[in-house]
Amino acid sequence: MTTTESHPPTGASAGQPAPVVRTTAGAVRGRREEGLAVFRGIPFAAPPVGEARFMAPRPVHAWDGIRDAYAFGPPPPQDLGNLGGPGLLDVPEGDEWLTVNVWTPEPDPGARRPVMVWIYGGAYKLGHSGQPGYDARRIAADGDLVVVSLNYRVGMEGFAHIEGAPANRGLLDQVAALEWVRDNIEAFGGDPGQVTVFGESAGAGSAASLLVMPRAAGLFRRVIAQSVPGTFFSDALARDIGAALAAEVGLRPTVADLATIAPRELTSAGESLSGKMPQYIDRWGQAAPTVTPFSPVVDGEVLPVTPWQALAAGAAKDVDLLVGHNRDAYRFFVAMAGQLGQISEERATAALSLFAPGPDGEQAYRTAFPDASPDELYERVQTDWLFSMPSLHLAEAQRAGGGRAHVYELTWPAPGNGGALGACHGLDIPLLFGTYGADLGFLLFAGTEPSAEAEALSSRFRKSWTAFARTGDPGWPAYDDERRLVQVLDAEPVVRAYPEEASRRMWEGYDFQALPVL
């Protein structure tokens, strides 16, 4: 990977040499692409293998000469077969999972542009920064700022509870990447004092965690959290699930035992247990139907308490927060299971009994939505429990702790499948990045060219997000407890009182605690 060649790479603009930047570990050479300088696959930590496996990230090894930064680094071990869409399976191999990528208008140390750092989602078990849907060129160009994306360990390597290993290794990877940004981004034209972390789904849960992690303090100024999952594991639940994960491969949940299986083979433990999790509902409760055995762990050290509890106590009152969700989030998962329009009254009742808040939660939902079908009730309560209310409560906790938060809701329906998916989970990604033909965009836009309406909404996403990164103001009022104004993102965006008032009232006062072992 290390070279000392001076010739420009293919794609360099005529008369423009390939950009070279010196980082703290060595020099890297990127490419000129569509008016930007782009650097891919820069290591920010040592490969987490051998003695470093299951440990906190260790300092990157320095190199001599100039290292070509043309290609994305290899993804962390995961079941790549679960990822669909064009380009996703065309990934490099190797152990250098912990890398960053940079899109910058110009690597000028004096420019000091705002910086946005993207954290991908994927249920804490999937994803990598090289996915085509996360191509950040339009965000960097439209916002005239620097965008960084990063890889972090997922699944067994990043989040399984393993005796002898620190908890939340994936979150510690994110902290190490943010430290790399602090130490290096000025050379790429960025301002280390103007960093915004943004992420979706598990990436939003990660961002919410970083908000309140002592080790991440001071590494960023703003956070954008798109669809924050309410799933944080207690230490007891993480231990119990960790033991079950290890048992899937016939081992104990210890570093010594699990290190005997190669990283990319160990992913089988998570894949196998995911399909069995509904059988554990009497023991793991609400965590069981999520069919992901991985989440941030409230371990008392890396993550001392839940984000809601810490924010309400003022842990990040000086950090600007933009948070929101998609109106029909859970419909995506119903569709992926092939169950649209097929939810029985029995299944709806079971979901209401498990997820609705309070002892009378089921009846409260039926009263609030008297005309709702079983499908609608099943979807609504899980949308609320998993994404909508955790996101709204994050804003409310930030306000309670003396901070400021802006809130949005995406209500524009995905055009794929005749609009049946609605404003489902993940739709904000292709809209924000403008990557309609990649990853989820390929599915949600059905492989068609985006309409003028879609392009206008996409542009609005980028304008609001980059304005927030630059100033802390996305273009609409901060959320408060009186007017509850939010930005509704649709074909005709409007600022109005929070639309999901019926759900908000039912969940008022609900405490999103770490999920227990029953």
Side-chain angles (χ1 to χ4, degrees), residues 267-295:
T267 60
S268 65
E271 296 158 27
S272 176
L273 183 62
S274 289
K276 300 176 182 177
M277 285 183 69
Q279 302 171 20
Y280 289 80
I281 196 164
D282 291 340
R283 185 168 180 83
W284 296 343
Q286 293 173 324
T290 67
V291 299
T292 176
F294 309 106
S295 271

Side-chain angles (χ1 to χ4, degrees), residues 312-512:
K317 62 183 178 182
D318 296 326
V319 179
D320 298 326
L321 175 63
L322 170 58
V323 60
H325 58 83
N326 302 354
R327 181 188 59 201
D328 310 308
Y330 201 77
R331 194 174 305 172
F332 174 83
F333 302 99
V334 178
M336 291 303 98
Q339 296 174 349
L340 278 180
Q342 299 178 26
I343 303 300
S344 66
E345 181 66 42
E346 182 182 20
R347 288 190 66 191
T349 297
L352 289 167
S353 299
L354 183 61
F355 296 113
D360 301 317
E362 178 191 348
Q363 188 54 51
Y365 264 84
R366 294 190 181 278
T367 301
F369 304 101
D371 299 323
S373 66
D375 295 87
E376 290 166 339
L377 288 169
Y378 180 84
E379 176 192 312
R380 183 75 261 157
V381 70
Q382 293 190 81
T383 290
D384 286 346
W385 171 77
L386 189 55
F387 296 115
S388 299
M389 294 303 109
S391 298
L392 181 68
H393 282 217
L394 200 74
E396 293 178 341
Q398 177 72 335
R399 272 191 46 76
R404 188 175 71 154
H406 292 80
V407 177
Y408 74 90
E409 183 180 37
L410 175 62
T411 57
W412 186 79
N417 200 21
L421 293 174
C424 68
H425 189 63
L427 177 59
D428 45 320
I429 297 174
L431 286 171
L432 173 59
F433 286 87
T435 49
Y436 315 103
D439 306 355
L440 283 179
F442 183 79
L443 172 69
L444 300 179
F445 284 80
T448 61
E449 287 297 313
S451 64
E453 185 176 282
E455 283 282 24
L457 183 56
S458 177
S459 178
R460 187 176 187 93
F461 256 98
R462 287 189 295 280
K463 181 179 179 181
S464 297
W465 267 228
T466 57
F468 180 78
R470 190 175 298 278
T471 68
D473 182 357
W476 64 88
Y479 187 84
D480 62 43
D481 298 332
E482 291 77 41
R483 297 182 298 166
R484 305 189 192 280
L485 295 180
V486 307
Q487 173 70 71
V488 177
L489 292 162
D490 211 317
E492 296 292 337
V494 62
V495 176
R496 54 162 292 190
Y498 183 63
E500 313 307 333
E501 178 65 8
S503 293
R504 187 197 69 78
R505 284 185 175 276
M506 282 188 285
W507 290 83
E508 196 166 22
Y510 183 85
D511 184 11
F512 281 94

Side-chain angles (χ1 to χ4, degrees), residues 102-436:
V102 181
W103 289 259
T104 178
E106 186 60 42
D108 171 13
R112 299 186 72 83
R113 290 179 169 90
V115 181
M116 298 183 71
V117 180
W118 172 250
I119 303 178
Y120 53 76
Y124 305 104
K125 63 181 180 180
L126 300 169
H128 62 99
S129 62
Q131 293 177 223
Y134 302 147
D135 185 334
R137 69 184 70 185
R138 295 185 73 175
I139 299 175
D142 289 5
D144 188 34
L145 41 66
V146 179
V147 182
V148 177
S149 63
L150 60 97
N151 275 1
Y152 63 95
R153 283 172 285 182
V154 295
M156 294 294 294
E157 302 297 320
F159 288 95
H161 194 293
I162 300 171
E163 294 174 25
N168 301 306
R169 298 174 297 281
L171 298 179
L172 294 175
D173 292 345
Q174 295 165 16
V175 171
L178 287 166
E179 291 172 339
W180 182 94
V181 170
R182 177 196 63 198
D183 297 340
N184 292 282
I185 206 61
E186 188 173 350
F188 291 86
D191 182 353
Q194 282 270 75
V195 174
T196 297
V197 172
F198 69 126
E200 183 268 351
S201 195
S206 296
S209 301
L210 292 167
L211 264 174
V212 303
M213 284 170 56
R215 299 188 195 196
L219 292 176
F220 49 87
R221 185 170 178 177
R222 301 184 176 100
V223 161
I224 303 174
Q226 303 169 209
S227 301
V228 180
T231 49
F232 283 71
F233 290 170
S234 65
D235 190 68
L237 178 61
R239 287 178 183 274
D240 209 54
I241 294 177
L245 285 164
E248 289 296 321
V249 288
L251 298 172
R252 297 172 302 164
T254 65
V255 168
D257 270 28
L258 295 176
T260 62
I261 300 183
R264 298 197 187 279
E265 295 176 10
L266 188 57
T267 60
S268 65
E271 296 158 27
S272 176
L273 183 62
S274 289
K276 300 176 182 177
M277 285 183 69
Q279 302 171 20
Y280 289 80
I281 196 164
D282 291 340
R283 185 168 180 83
W284 296 343
Q286 293 173 324
T290 67
V291 299
T292 176
F294 309 106
S295 271
V297 181
V298 180
D299 67 317
E301 182 182 350
V302 176
L303 187 60
V305 296
T306 66
W308 300 273
Q309 183 180 346
L311 288 184
K317 62 183 178 182
D318 296 326
V319 179
D320 298 326
L321 175 63
L322 170 58
V323 60
H325 58 83
N326 302 354
R327 181 188 59 201
D328 310 308
Y330 201 77
R331 194 174 305 172
F332 174 83
F333 302 99
V334 178
M336 291 303 98
Q339 296 174 349
L340 278 180
Q342 299 178 26
I343 303 300
S344 66
E345 181 66 42
E346 182 182 20
R347 288 190 66 191
T349 297
L352 289 167
S353 299
L354 183 61
F355 296 113
D360 301 317
E362 178 191 348
Q363 188 54 51
Y365 264 84
R366 294 190 181 278
T367 301
F369 304 101
D371 299 323
S373 66
D375 295 87
E376 290 166 339
L377 288 169
Y378 180 84
E379 176 192 312
R380 183 75 261 157
V381 70
Q382 293 190 81
T383 290
D384 286 346
W385 171 77
L386 189 55
F387 296 115
S388 299
M389 294 303 109
S391 298
L392 181 68
H393 282 217
L394 200 74
E396 293 178 341
Q398 177 72 335
R399 272 191 46 76
R404 188 175 71 154
H406 292 80
V407 177
Y408 74 90
E409 183 180 37
L410 175 62
T411 57
W412 186 79
N417 200 21
L421 293 174
C424 68
H425 189 63
L427 177 59
D428 45 320
I429 297 174
L431 286 171
L432 173 59
F433 286 87
T435 49
Y436 315 103

